[in-house]
Amino acid sequence: MTAVRTAAAGLALLLAAACTAPTPPRGQAGTTTGTVCAPPQAPPGAETATTIDIIEQAYFCILGNYYSGATLDARSLLTAGFVALTQELNHDGRDVPGATMPALTGDRKADWAAFETTYRKITDQAPDLRDKLTAVTLQAIVAALGDNHADWKHQDKRPPDYYDGDGYGLGLEANVNGPQVDTNPGAAVAPLFVATVLGGAAQAAGLRPGDIIEAINGSAPFIDGEATPAIAALYPKYPEARPVRLRLLRQSTGRRWSVTLKPGLFQRDLAGLQVVRSKLLDDDIAYVRMTGFAPDSANRVLRAITRLRTGRTLSGVVLDLRGNGGGSPVEAARLLSAFVHGKNTAYQCTVDGTCQATPTDDTVELLHLPLVVLTDRDCASACEHFSAAVKDLRIGRLAGTRTAGVISGPAQGYLLANNTLLSFPARHHLGPNREVIDRIGVPPDHYVPLTPKDAAAGRDPALAKALTLLHA
């Protein structure tokens, strides 16, 4: 989700890449790099070194542009960065006598100057760790926002033999994945089981949907009903390559066994990579699966429904948004406009409560068809924009499980001087009824979770419920 901002456009492109050699701190007056950031106007060039100057730029970029930057206590960012700095020293079996957090007063520029002075003294004594220390410090500052749409993208590497469309990992998806693992583990519900086998190591080892995962590297995935960090090991990202040992139970046979899966590249099903797929169900229901709100995806959904409608009378539409990670709020509003006109689909608000409405596009022709939307805990961001509007505006009904609660606001990217991208929301998202959805999610009208037995038998209870609702 992005919102175009053009203020100071292009200035960041003029900044020279910072060198890694230590230089004296500039103090309060010298914040040229730190006060300038702008959306990229062209694809970024080759990434250069991340230095203390880049951290400064990111720090002031956040304070000047993040939706609550005006009221944010900047000391929380610097403290988080310093914690990560000292922890990384410890992880490397090192420490520096002067690695003590400087006193902070709440004056943003003065606090930065104190932080920078101490930081430079520390990294001067560990020059071989400077690159690593700088990266973890900046990552921690961004993470301190506690915002699921805030990120710092750098060193995006792909495996040497990667082909467009390949997957990387263990080759499976469990019922707990995506946003739950990264940002909302408290939403996960036991038991943990294999929902889909995508290929790779999981397929080679003979895993099947419905297989219950009782342990991951010797650790339980749930303790007293709460998800544990062990689940994250199911989703390694390149270049992580450590084998993952699973203990499994197949309920249909009672078989228990252990298997070790090594992360790697695997070829994904090409059909599964399509953003929009459609088919006719029961001769009168248009079923459309949409995996993301990519550019032109709303039009593709509408064209698919039109094709399925040709020569027959439809009883309704099932829009399957399970696993939809979001995308463009413009596409979400456009698709909603095929079901309702003259409404606001969401609000984007500043920290002082000034809100901008996202209205329907009433040039889109209404379908005049009943709608059921399938949702799950991987329906995030623009998917939640759409789902909340369906519920609040009474456009249709939701079936499945609650959405992810990962919709803090539309993320805007800012180019840093080393050609890396910092992104975060300039406004906070609210639903059509001005309710907060972030961290909460959108509850379904009909709660229909997938069980291990359903997965093993190839049953889709949420889809079955949708068909029942449309035929009622």
Side-chain angles (χ1 to χ4, degrees), residues 355-376:
C355 297
Q356 179 180 352
T358 304
T360 52
D361 179 353
D362 294 351
T363 66
V364 178
E365 185 177 352
L366 289 169
L367 290 172
H368 298 293
L369 287 171
L371 173 68
V372 177
V373 179
L374 305 185
T375 60
D376 66 0

Side-chain angles (χ1 to χ4, degrees), residues 9-23:
L11 289 180
L13 298 173
L14 302 177
L15 298 174
C19 62
T20 57
T23 57

Side-chain angles (χ1 to χ4, degrees), residues 88-102:
E88 188 59 38
L89 285 170
N90 183 58
H91 291 162
D92 280 274
R94 309 271 285 277
D95 209 342
V96 174
T100 301
M101 182 72 184

Side-chain angles (χ1 to χ4, degrees), residues 37-63:
C37 67
Q41 301 302 301
E47 182 177 334
T48 58
T50 300
T51 67
I52 184 63
D53 295 338
I54 302 302
I55 298 177
E56 180 185 14
Q57 183 185 14
Y59 170 78
F60 284 104
C61 183
I62 289 169
L63 297 179

Side-chain angles (χ1 to χ4, degrees), residues 9 11 22-23 79 151 155 173 197 219 222 243 324 384 386 394:
L11 289 180
T23 57
T79 299
D151 191 23
Q155 295 181 344
E173 285 185 355
V197 176
S219 298
F222 286 88
N324 185 309
E384 298 183 272
F386 185 92
R394 301 184 184 278

Side-chain angles (χ1 to χ4, degrees), residues 48-344:
T48 58
T50 300
T51 67
I52 184 63
D53 295 338
I54 302 302
I55 298 177
E56 180 185 14
Q57 183 185 14
Y59 170 78
F60 284 104
C61 183
I62 289 169
L63 297 179
N65 297 280
Y66 184 56
Y67 87 90
S68 65
T71 60
L72 187 67
D73 186 345
R75 290 172 291 188
S76 64
L77 306 184
L78 297 179
T79 299
F82 206 87
V83 168
L85 170 70
T86 55
Q87 287 179 344
E88 188 59 38
L89 285 170
N90 183 58
H91 291 162
D92 280 274
R94 309 271 285 277
D95 209 342
V96 174
T100 301
M101 182 72 184
L104 304 179
T105 65
D107 181 314
R108 294 176 170 191
K109 289 185 178 181
D111 286 346
W112 171 258
F115 179 91
E116 181 181 2
T117 298
T118 303
Y119 180 93
R120 289 183 182 278
K121 289 178 179 178
I122 294 169
T123 54
D124 282 354
Q125 296 176 67
D128 56 316
L129 297 180
R130 185 175 286 121
D131 290 346
K132 186 184 294 186
L133 294 174
T134 307
V136 299
T137 301
L138 180 47
Q139 286 170 333
I141 286 174
V142 176
L145 293 173
D147 191 304
N148 48 57
H149 276 58
D151 191 23
W152 175 48
K153 299 184 187 302
H154 70 114
Q155 295 181 344
D156 185 15
K157 296 180 180 179
R158 289 180 171 177
D161 298 326
Y162 177 84
Y163 183 78
D164 191 28
D166 281 349
Y168 183 86
L170 304 182
L172 65 85
E173 285 185 355
N175 60 312
V176 180
N177 53 54
Q180 290 182 72
V181 172
D182 296 332
T183 62
N184 198 6
V189 177
L192 181 69
F193 62 90
V194 176
T196 307
V197 176
L198 302 172
Q203 185 177 62
L207 271 63
R208 300 178 189 171
D211 288 344
I212 294 177
I213 302 171
E214 296 186 321
I216 305 168
N217 293 327
S219 298
F222 286 88
I223 296 177
D224 295 331
E226 297 292 326
T228 71
I231 298 175
L234 296 178
Y235 304 103
K237 297 178 182 179
Y238 183 79
E240 298 174 42
R242 288 176 292 183
V244 179
R245 185 166 180 79
L246 305 180
R247 188 174 74 242
L248 300 156
L249 165 65
R250 185 165 293 162
Q251 286 183 313
S252 60
T253 63
R255 179 192 176 198
R256 274 191 168 86
W257 78 106
S258 294
V259 63
T260 299
L261 306 180
K262 183 174 175 56
L265 281 175
F266 59 89
Q267 185 176 348
R268 296 179 64 95
D269 176 20
L270 294 180
L273 296 175
Q274 293 179 296
V275 174
V276 175
R277 289 174 282 164
S278 62
K279 60 183 176 181
L280 189 69
L281 297 178
D282 294 350
D283 294 325
D284 65 345
I285 302 296
Y287 169 88
V288 183
R289 184 172 182 86
M290 184 185 190
T291 59
F293 284 88
D296 198 45
S297 57
N299 287 338
R300 280 183 273 174
V301 170
L302 298 178
R303 285 195 296 267
I305 295 171
T306 298
R307 285 196 298 268
L308 293 173
R309 199 175 195 177
T310 302
R312 63 176 56 84
T313 299
L314 292 179
S315 297
V317 175
V318 175
L319 183 59
D320 191 345
L321 298 185
R322 293 173 295 185
N324 185 309
S328 167
V330 174
E331 293 296 318
R334 182 169 178 78
L335 186 54
L336 287 162
S337 305
F339 296 94
V340 69
H341 283 174
K343 300 291 185 179
N344 290 326

Side-chain angles (χ1 to χ4, degrees), residues 408-431:
S408 65
Q412 169 64 61
Y414 297 90
L415 185 66
L416 300 181
N418 65 337
N419 290 319
T420 60
L421 283 174
L422 180 66
S423 60
F424 48 78
R427 290 176 177 265
H428 190 61
H429 182 99
L430 297 179

